[in-house]
Amino acid sequence: MSFWSKWRKRAPWILHYNAGSCNGCDIEILAALSPRYDLERFGVLNSGNPKQSDIFLVTGPVTYRSRERLIELYMQIPEPKVVVAVGACTATGGVFRGMYNVEDGIDRYIPVDVYVPGCAAGPQLIIDGVMEAVKIWERKTQEIEEPFKLFGGMGKIGEALSRRNTLEVKDEQNRREP
Amino acid sequence: MKKTVEIPLGSQHISLLEPIRFRFHCENEVIRDVDADVGFVHRGVEEACASRFEFKQVGYVVARVCGLCAITHSLGYTLAVEKLLHVSTNERIKYLRMLMVELDRIHSHMLCLAHTSENAGFEALFMQIMNDRELIMDVQEALSGNRVQFDYISIGGVNRDLSVEAAALVLRNLALLEPKIDELFERFTNNWSLSLKYRGIGALSLEQAYMYNTLGPLARAAGLVTDVRLETDDFPYAQVGFEIITERGGDIYARNLVRLRELKQSMQMVRNIVEGLPEGAIQEKTKGKPEGEAIARVEAPRGELMYLVRGNKTSILERVRIKTPTFSGIPAMIEIFKGSNFADAPAILASFDPCMSCTAK
Amino acid sequence: MNKIDVSLENVVETIKAFYDPAAHHFLTLNALRAPEDQIELEWIFTRYGVIEEPTVFTLTCKRDVLIPSVTSFIPSAIMSERETVDMFGVSIEGAKRGLYLDDDSLQMPLGRCRV
């Protein structure tokens, strides 16, 4: 697989789904793909097929009727996958927070890796978000590709756990300090 | 035995910007019947406008109904509330509002044309139109401070004045855009895939247009004389050179032509507005709470947008009814789909320029 | 706007007599909660191509009666009628539920009392 991964690294395909947004972020995603901002220079291609995609761009607070589709699309994207939440309402519900037919943000349903702020999120911010997603995606790819040793495995899990614990302790300290 | 085959399209598809689900009942290649599910984006804006937000905030909430025609939404609401508050705005405010609405129409029509050409297989033309569209987006950003959701209109006025530099930028970018639109005209009338192939596809006759109450470019392409800019006197559209544009045939080709001609006319109107901008303040004093019932109509890029506002002398409104253009166009769309080839469905759909966020609110 | 009051019995006939497809344009069907568990319905019409105030037919009736439909001569009214059925929990002839709302959504969001 390492033979192909070199090329795949330069071709993160995106899948875009509107889960109830106002269209603003969606046209900004189109604008980011167009020649002025040219997200395609990074090899990003807007594919309509979840099975060929790597990065999932979601806009909008999740409306009741789009919940199932959102999860289904997420499940159909092959691992490793990265989810980018574009726009303020995707992160928290934004102006739609608390309306009767929306869930407040997509992280109630699927794990999110990158949040892109803004109402509507500008193309520059979307490019930043996608590039951040590519980094996370590479890391996830490496984690998957690392050979898993049966007997050395326990040590590796312990290592990962201790690393996470130290991070959490640091977080705690940071939170207490101010 | 059943003779038809069901083919779903949506809710997620490469030719769809927004979630809408169609279920086509096809007999061989021909569509016999269509079910459309439009409720994917229903958020409940109408209820929230009448319970959770004060009437001064609602103008910015209804802009979030739709990102493409955000300015017409806030304008429609503001006009209705100004009628209830008995506020009359001066000429400068009217001109500045018209300016933003026409700029919005230009960028929305260009997006629709780009989408149509993409669905015809012209990926490069899609990219080219999207690139040219950035000229207008720059103008909008300079005028209002945001590219898409410009909260430009407030009750009793506008939030920003047009500076001398911004006016110069408008004129400069329009001069840059003009030859590109002419070139597009050439493409859409002479290129085989974009003109001849689209003749007679997805046609709507004038009788059907009357019967199904179609609006906007869809109706004007069929020859129906309807335009809210003509039917209301809230804005001095005749002064800035507005004339109604109609075509014959009602097919995809005619709709593209209507959009192209409207583009050219809107550009001319923007130029006239910027050059003949009257003097005055950009904000009028307002006081009191809305009472009574008022209807305001605005021509959005896709057709007629109506706001009905009823207030009862409190800061929370009693009812805000939003009637969006695509919402009333859907029965006509379903009618057009019947009898056409399934392979044409994405192209026909793109030529409607549907806006699902508007429809479902 | 010109308001014309109609009753439950003559609403369809009045609108049918008024409506001319080549001249009039059906805007929308609007609904409102009225006191004493009643509902106020407004059919709004305008004319093509001329400056004119909209004509509004208003009807106030109980919430639980069957409201007649105008789709037999205005086919595009089906969307507004289905929306009204969803939003206010009324029943209109031939209009199905479920245009916007799912089974687990808040039912008739605009028809209920505000807290």
Side-chain angles (χ1 to χ4, degrees):
Chain A
M1 278 314 280
S2 62
F3 178 75
W4 295 109
S5 58
K6 203 159 69 181
W7 281 277
R8 205 177 59 181
K9 200 159 72 181
R10 300 296 297 165
W13 284 13
I14 59 170
L15 176 73
H16 161 227
Y17 186 64
N18 177 339
S21 89
C22 72
N23 249 345
C25 296
D26 306 69
I27 54 177
E28 291 297 72
I29 288 172
L30 276 189
L33 286 164
S34 73
R36 166 76 74 90
Y37 298 99
D38 207 6
L39 195 51
E40 293 197 352
R41 73 195 131 127
F42 302 109
V44 173
L45 201 67
N46 186 10
S47 89
N49 189 346
K51 301 212 166 163
Q52 297 172 341
S53 307
D54 308 296
I55 296 174
F56 192 21
L57 288 182
V58 190
T59 57
V62 183
T63 58
Y64 277 23
R65 201 168 281 185
S66 60
R67 290 170 298 187
E68 283 170 37
R69 278 83 184 173
L70 182 76
I71 292 170
E72 196 160 309
L73 285 171
Y74 177 76
M75 296 306 283
Q76 285 184 6
I77 301 175
E79 291 282 351
K81 52 194 162 194
V82 185
V83 179
V84 184
V86 181
C89 54
T90 322
T92 62
V95 72
F96 308 120
R97 192 178 178 89
M99 288 189 190
Y100 62 84
N101 216 35
V102 299
E103 306 280 347
D104 305 333
I106 64 164
D107 42 11
R108 287 190 178 184
Y109 283 95
I110 55 176
V112 181
D113 298 282
V114 184
Y115 294 95
V116 179
C119 181
Q124 295 97 332
L125 275 171
I126 292 172
I127 293 175
D128 277 358
V130 172
M131 284 349 285
E132 195 64 34
V134 169
K135 275 184 209 154
I136 293 171
W137 179 59
E138 277 169 14
R139 207 190 65 221
K140 284 189 176 177
T141 314
Q142 269 175 10
E143 277 171 12
I144 284 184
E145 282 177 354
E146 255 175 45
F148 181 72
K149 283 183 197 153
L150 189 58
F151 293 107
M154 291 312 288
K156 195 171 270 176
I157 291 168
E159 223 174 73
L161 279 177
S162 65
R163 209 187 313 147
R164 187 186 288 169
N165 285 341
T166 48
L167 279 179
E168 274 174 10
V169 169
K170 267 185 196 165
D171 273 0
E172 281 286 296
Q173 284 168 351
N174 286 344
R175 231 172 280 151
R176 274 176 205 158
E177 266 169 24
Chain B
M1 208 179 94
K2 224 168 124 185
K3 274 170 86 181
T4 54
V5 181
E6 280 183 24
I7 308 177
L9 178 79
S11 68
Q12 188 271 336
H13 190 265
I14 184 73
S15 76
L16 299 174
L17 274 177
E18 301 154 272
I20 174 169
R21 193 186 59 204
F22 289 106
R23 190 176 286 138
F24 296 109
H25 300 270
C26 295
E27 193 180 318
N28 294 334
E29 283 288 299
V30 184
I31 299 168
R32 289 286 171 229
D33 200 5
V34 192
D35 298 332
D37 184 355
V38 296
F40 282 95
V41 222
H42 179 64
R43 288 148 292 182
V45 177
E46 278 185 358
E47 193 260 355
C49 287
S51 60
R52 305 170 32 147
F53 295 99
E54 289 184 10
F55 78 96
K56 281 182 183 165
Q57 302 168 318
V58 171
Y60 306 114
V61 178
V62 292
R64 266 75 183 172
V65 169
C66 171
L68 273 166
C69 32
I71 192 83
T72 41
H73 275 278
S74 45
L75 178 62
Y77 171 76
T78 310
L79 280 178
V81 169
E82 279 173 0
K83 278 181 191 171
L84 295 183
L85 293 175
H86 308 291
V87 180
S88 60
T89 49
N90 64 26
E91 287 291 300
R92 188 180 180 85
I93 294 171
K94 283 181 182 168
Y95 268 61
L96 284 174
R97 286 176 175 179
M98 273 198 294
L99 174 68
M100 282 316 272
V101 170
E102 292 309 314
L103 283 174
D104 189 66
R105 194 183 317 280
I106 294 173
H107 98 84
S108 174
H109 277 357
M110 285 186 81
L111 186 78
C112 173
L113 290 173
H115 211 60
T116 310
S117 53
E118 193 195 18
N119 279 341
F122 270 78
E123 186 79 26
L125 189 58
F126 166 76
M127 289 298 179
Q128 191 191 326
I129 301 176
M130 288 300 282
N131 194 23
D132 299 342
R133 181 174 158 269
E134 292 295 326
L135 290 170
I136 297 298
M137 302 305 277
D138 282 350
V139 171
Q140 289 180 343
E141 194 170 7
L143 256 61
S144 69
N146 205 352
R147 282 168 52 94
V148 175
Q149 284 286 3
F150 23 81
D151 293 323
Y152 189 69
I153 293 175
S154 61
I155 293 172
V158 292
N159 287 335
R160 280 192 179 204
D161 206 351
L162 182 75
S163 65
V164 181
E165 296 83 26
L169 181 78
V170 175
L171 294 178
R172 197 191 63 129
N173 277 8
L174 282 184
L176 284 174
L177 191 63
E178 188 90 62
K180 297 182 174 175
I181 299 292
D182 288 337
E183 200 184 315
L184 268 187
F185 227 105
E186 178 87 16
R187 287 252 193 293
F188 273 90
T189 46
N190 290 340
N191 187 299
W192 189 84
S193 324
L194 289 173
S195 68
L196 266 181
K197 208 171 117 186
Y198 279 163
R199 285 233 172 113
I201 304 275
L204 180 82
S205 67
L206 185 58
E207 288 74 37
Q208 279 175 324
Y210 277 128
M211 190 172 167
Y212 287 96
N213 281 312
T214 47
L215 351 125
L218 196 64
R220 292 197 283 275
L224 206 166
V225 182
T226 174
D227 195 313
V228 182
R229 290 175 283 181
L230 192 78
E231 292 166 6
T232 54
D233 50 0
D234 294 324
F235 290 104
Y237 269 111
Q239 279 177 29
V240 295
F242 169 73
E243 277 173 20
I244 190 152
I245 287 169
T246 52
E247 283 282 334
R248 280 179 189 184
D251 47 8
I252 301 180
Y253 174 75
R255 273 172 232 149
N256 287 341
L257 272 196
V258 165
R259 292 212 172 88
L260 277 165
R261 287 174 61 196
E262 281 190 10
L263 265 180
K264 292 209 60 151
Q265 197 189 39
S266 290
M267 284 163 69
Q268 190 54 45
M269 280 158 71
V270 167
R271 222 174 269 135
N272 291 346
I273 290 168
V274 171
E275 280 165 1
L277 196 64
E279 289 297 315
I282 59 161
Q283 187 76 37
E284 300 273 348
K285 280 209 173 66
T286 60
K287 61 171 193 280
K289 304 269 167 62
E291 190 192 11
E293 187 175 295
I295 291 176
R297 295 195 293 148
V298 185
E299 180 79 11
R302 287 163 189 75
E304 174 191 56
L305 175 69
M306 185 216 76
Y307 268 80
L308 185 146
V309 177
R310 183 184 277 197
N312 49 1
K313 262 197 169 255
T314 55
S315 48
I316 307 271
L317 294 166
E318 202 172 319
R319 176 88 168 105
V320 179
R321 174 81 166 102
I322 311 169
K323 203 279 301 181
T324 53
T326 319
F327 180 75
S328 22
I330 281 173
M333 287 180 196
I334 289 174
E335 195 57 32
I336 293 174
F337 272 127
K338 288 178 189 167
S340 51
N341 275 345
F342 178 71
D344 296 328
I348 296 175
L349 186 60
S351 79
F352 295 144
D353 197 9
C355 178
M356 285 306 120
S357 310
C358 271
T359 311
K361 301 182 278 275
Chain C
M1 63 192 98
N2 325 314
K3 284 207 175 186
I4 302 168
D5 283 324
V6 288
S7 69
L8 204 57
E9 289 78 35
N10 67 3
V11 51
V12 175
E13 288 85 61
T14 321
I15 294 175
K16 199 170 186 175
F18 166 80
Y19 179 70
D20 172 17
H24 288 110
H25 168 66
F26 174 68
L27 258 172
T28 188
L29 166 64
N30 177 39
L32 262 155
R33 279 182 57 237
E36 296 168 9
D37 200 31
Q38 283 187 324
I39 189 156
E40 198 182 324
L41 295 160
E42 296 180 326
W43 287 265
I44 309 171
F45 293 87
T46 54
R47 281 176 88 92
Y48 289 120
V50 284
I51 298 176
E52 197 188 86
E53 282 286 292
T55 310
V56 183
F57 293 89
T58 52
L59 163 72
T60 310
C61 65
K62 282 272 179 204
R63 270 254 289 274
D64 47 3
V65 296
L66 182 68
I67 296 154
S69 157
V70 293
T71 43
S72 58
F73 51 99
I74 313 173
S76 62
I78 185 76
M79 295 294 288
S80 322
E81 288 183 356
R82 285 191 68 184
E83 191 191 11
T84 310
V85 166
D86 255 15
M87 290 299 182
F88 289 88
V90 294
S91 40
I92 298 180
E93 237 176 287
K96 283 183 290 181
R97 275 167 202 279
L99 178 68
Y100 289 156
L101 300 180
D102 285 339
D103 293 337
D104 61 337
S105 324
L106 181 74
Q107 294 300 315
M108 50 172 186
L110 286 165
R112 56 183 62 217
C113 225
R114 251 171 251 144
V115 185

